[in-house]
Each structure stands twice: as structure tokens, then as C-alpha cells.
Amino acid sequence: MLCLRPAQRSSNGMELRMTTTFPDVTISTDRLVLRPFDGEDVTALAEMMNDEHVIAWTSVPHPYTHADADAWATRDSHAERTEGRGIVFAVAEFLTQRLVGIVHLRNTNWRTRSAEVGYVTAPWARGEGYASESVLAVAQWLFHDQRFERLELRTAADNTASQQVAQKIGCISEGVLRNAWMVRTRPENGTDGSWTDTRTDLIVWSLLPEDIDDMEESDGYNGHDDYGYGRGARAGAGGYAVGADWS
């Protein structure tokens, strides 16, 4: 059930805008548990966010420190939900409880019932279909339980792994935002390990409730993918793209 905070009035008597938030939930699949972050995730989170693919495709701080991870796991990720901006899930293996990745709903529009999704997958977990499985589970929950009508995903033009995730969960490509995102690249002859910001296009994908219904009826989801990171257009509290950005 959605939590609707009753409208309040400011000191001058004007009615303040009602805030809507997602419920504090855990989602389970055959292999995964999607849950809120906690302090035990800090070490694994810092390791995951310092992976070179995450650095390249997202705006995560580099290096991503233990303090960054602690702030995200214990405070900032929870504020996304409580302040009505979206919801963040720590994705863990059901059997081992090892942190697999992140799924983040952001840029939530409560009037149009739409949101943007971003995701990150740990290096060791890529190629197992975890990104597709977790994002699809969140999409099903968003549409069926929360009655949302649109989910958007944006991928950098050269991030083929993330594009494969979008395709495998049934997303439809809607177009290209030219020069809308920054990725990090290493100079060809660089020897100091430095990164350079480079502009790139973004491919916009969308998923609607009927897209998932059609896929379920045709049994079109195969459950396997490579690593993927959604992307967004601005850096979120966790450091990776979120908002007009994500994943």
C-alpha cells in the first residue's frame, strides 16, 4: 500500500504539497532478494563501485571510499524512499546473501505514475542474468502492486551490455538523446591510470505494463544477460547516475 502523508500547512497557513512514498518492502525471486541496504553491505558496495566498468559508465566518485559506501548504505539510499524520490534495492543472492548489485527507481512522478530505473551489477556476478532478473522483478512490482504506468531506462550509446538488459526484459527503444551524458575513458597512451570525461548519446527505453504482460504470455524472458548499469542524468547520493540519470 502506498503511504500518503496528509497535507500539512505552513506557518502562513498555505497548504503544503502532499508527499507520496513507496512502501518499505523486500522483493524475492527464485535466486535473489531485493531489500534495503544496511551497514553490512558497506565493504561489498565499495568494492563493487570501484570496478572499472562502473567507473566508466556512471558518475560514481572515484575512488569510491568506505565513507561513500557507508553514507549510501546507512543513510542516503533510505532517504530516496522516505523523501519520495524513489526507492533503492540492494540485490543479494538468496542462498549466500552476497551483494549482487543495485536497482534504483528514481525521477518518480507520482502524478503520471512513472519512474526511471538504474542498476549496477558486481563484477563477479555478471553473465548470470542477475541484472535482468532483478530489474524485471522491480518492474513487475511497480506495475502490479504500485499501479505505475511507465518505467524508463537510459543507456549510454556504447554500453551494449546495459542495452541487452533493456531488450531482454521487454523494453522498447524510443529514441536518442544526443550528447546527453558523460562517460569516463582512459587515454589510449595513458600510463597514470587517469580517466577522461567524454560526451556520449543516450538511448531512451521504456517499459509499460502491457509489455510485461505480453512477454509473460509468450514466455519470452530467458533470464540471462551480461553486466549492465542503467544510467541517469545526474549523480545521485550513491555517486552513480540517477535522476535524469540512472544506472
Side-chain angles (χ1 to χ4, degrees):
M1 176 180 294
L2 293 177
C3 175
L4 301 178
R5 298 177 184 172
Q8 300 177 340
R9 293 184 179 278
S10 63
S11 58
N12 63 5
M14 295 182 63
E15 186 174 279
L16 300 177
R17 183 177 180 181
M18 182 182 297
T19 301
T20 306
T21 61
F22 287 116
D24 189 7
V25 299
T26 295
I27 301 172
S28 297
T29 71
D30 290 341
R31 302 185 296 169
L32 304 172
V33 176
L34 287 73
R35 54 164 176 78
F37 272 93
D38 60 40
E40 295 183 358
D41 296 316
V42 171
T43 299
L45 177 62
E47 180 180 349
M48 177 173 64
M49 301 307 276
N50 277 304
D51 173 70
E52 66 175 14
H53 288 293
V54 177
I55 296 168
W57 295 116
T58 75
S59 60
V60 61
H62 176 60
Y64 193 88
T65 67
H66 186 277
D68 292 327
D70 183 74
W72 181 250
T74 62
R75 183 186 69 237
D76 297 337
S77 65
H78 302 278
E80 291 290 288
R81 186 188 70 82
T82 59
E83 296 176 10
R85 294 190 295 270
I87 188 169
V88 179
F89 293 99
V91 183
E93 283 187 321
F94 180 79
L95 293 178
T96 67
Q97 295 302 304
R98 188 176 181 184
L99 186 67
V100 166
I102 304 170
V103 175
H104 184 177
L105 291 181
R106 62 177 174 274
N107 281 349
T108 305
N109 188 316
W110 296 99
R111 181 173 179 273
T112 63
R113 312 299 287 181
S114 63
E116 185 179 348
V117 66
Y119 50 94
V120 174
T121 304
W124 65 269
R126 294 167 189 161
E128 299 295 330
Y130 288 151
S132 297
E133 184 174 332
S134 57
V135 174
L136 183 60
V138 171
Q140 291 170 327
W141 169 78
L142 186 70
F143 293 151
H144 297 161
D145 291 10
Q146 301 303 304
R147 305 302 181 191
F148 268 55
E149 296 294 334
R150 175 182 169 87
L151 184 62
E152 187 172 298
L153 192 158
R154 300 181 179 188
T155 62
D158 292 330
N159 191 347
T160 56
S162 191
Q163 292 161 27
Q164 289 170 1
V165 173
Q167 293 169 339
K168 289 174 181 177
I169 67 173
C171 290
I172 304 299
S173 175
E174 293 185 332
V176 176
L177 300 177
R178 297 185 300 166
N179 262 8
W181 185 238
M182 301 290 289
V183 297
R184 296 184 180 113
T185 59
R186 292 188 186 276
E188 291 185 7
N189 299 321
T191 59
D192 60 356
S194 62
W195 295 84
T196 299
D197 287 339
T198 304
R199 282 201 166 274
T200 188
D201 297 341
L202 285 176
I203 301 174
V204 180
W205 308 79
S206 68
L207 191 67
L208 306 182
E210 53 264 36
D211 298 328
I212 285 185
D213 293 340
D214 291 343
M215 184 173 59
E216 290 173 345
E217 290 176 1
S218 64
D219 195 25
Y221 172 62
N222 63 24
H224 296 285
D225 56 58
D226 295 319
Y227 60 83
Y229 334 96
R231 94 72 232 130
R234 70 181 172 79
Y240 53 86
V242 304
D245 99 343
W246 143 262
S247 172

